[in-house]
Amino acid sequence: HRKILDLGFFDALLQRSITAHQARQSQAAEHWLRTAILEMTRQDALPARTDFEREQSAMIDGIAQDIMRHPAEFSNAHALAQRTGYSADHFIRLFRKYKNVTPGEFVIQARIQSACELLRFSDHGIARIAHILGYSDIYAFSKQFRQRTGLSPSAYRRRS
């Protein structure tokens, strides 16, 4: 038996796996399932936390879930830090401690992840997807997408 510390995040990963499986996207389904299992393994390896650390972790997890649900709404760490009452520098340190990436990188990952889903499951044009995800222009979106996936958005859509 395992105690899952961040049930919402784990549930979101499993839901993405189920959605991909139902859409007959076996590679994507496998990816999300592996990610969920890796998250469980990562949580098992964490040292015991104090109540204060659990409280901080829950706060960071809540922010991470908000970012995953609405990646376009979050553009900088300063705005996120204001939600916590911490300084931006301290918030970035806490976020990195509990998520192993900076908030900015986490937002980019969430946007690219959402972009992949939109490219696979919607008819939106690439410019519209860039706008939906909060990018100021299609070129910035395409460059970041290519850096993270190795493919242009249109090539990714064709391949999916």
Side-chain angles (χ1 to χ4, degrees):
H1 296 280
R2 295 179 188 272
K3 180 179 180 183
I4 298 172
L5 301 174
D6 185 0
L7 191 58
F9 182 67
F10 187 74
D11 182 55
L13 291 173
L14 289 177
Q15 287 300 321
R16 287 174 189 256
S17 178
I18 291 166
T19 301
H21 177 72
Q22 290 171 340
R24 304 210 187 280
Q25 301 285 327
S26 60
Q27 285 182 330
E30 181 181 336
H31 165 77
W32 292 118
L33 190 54
R34 282 179 192 258
T35 303
I37 292 168
L38 285 171
E39 178 62 19
M40 260 184 7
T41 305
R42 184 190 70 78
Q43 288 183 8
D44 283 350
L46 294 174
R49 293 182 175 161
T50 65
D51 288 342
F52 182 68
E53 288 173 322
R54 279 193 290 279
E55 185 180 307
Q56 285 181 327
S57 176
M59 175 196 53
I60 296 297
D61 288 342
I63 290 171
Q65 288 174 16
D66 288 347
I67 292 169
M68 294 292 287
R69 279 192 287 269
H70 308 287
E73 293 178 16
F74 304 97
S75 59
N76 68 50
H78 296 286
L80 291 169
Q82 286 180 332
R83 292 177 55 182
T84 66
Y86 292 121
S87 71
D89 290 338
H90 187 64
F91 172 73
I92 291 168
R93 279 192 298 278
L94 283 177
F95 199 95
R96 183 178 290 142
K97 175 181 177 181
Y98 294 111
K99 293 297 177 193
N100 297 319
V101 294
T102 64
E105 180 60 29
F106 192 86
V107 168
I108 292 168
Q109 290 173 1
R111 286 179 175 185
I112 299 303
Q113 187 176 345
S114 294
C116 289
E117 291 175 11
L118 287 167
L119 288 165
R120 271 192 250 127
F121 303 117
S122 79
D123 294 338
H124 295 305
I126 294 169
R128 176 74 180 130
I129 290 172
H131 177 74
I132 288 170
L133 295 175
Y135 287 92
S136 58
D137 62 71
I138 190 173
Y139 304 107
F141 166 66
S142 294
K143 180 180 177 182
Q144 214 166 57
F145 190 89
R146 183 183 304 269
Q147 287 173 340
R148 298 298 194 286
T149 66
L151 297 169
S152 69
S154 56
Y156 183 88
R157 176 173 267 169
R158 282 191 303 272
R159 209 169 142 196
S160 296

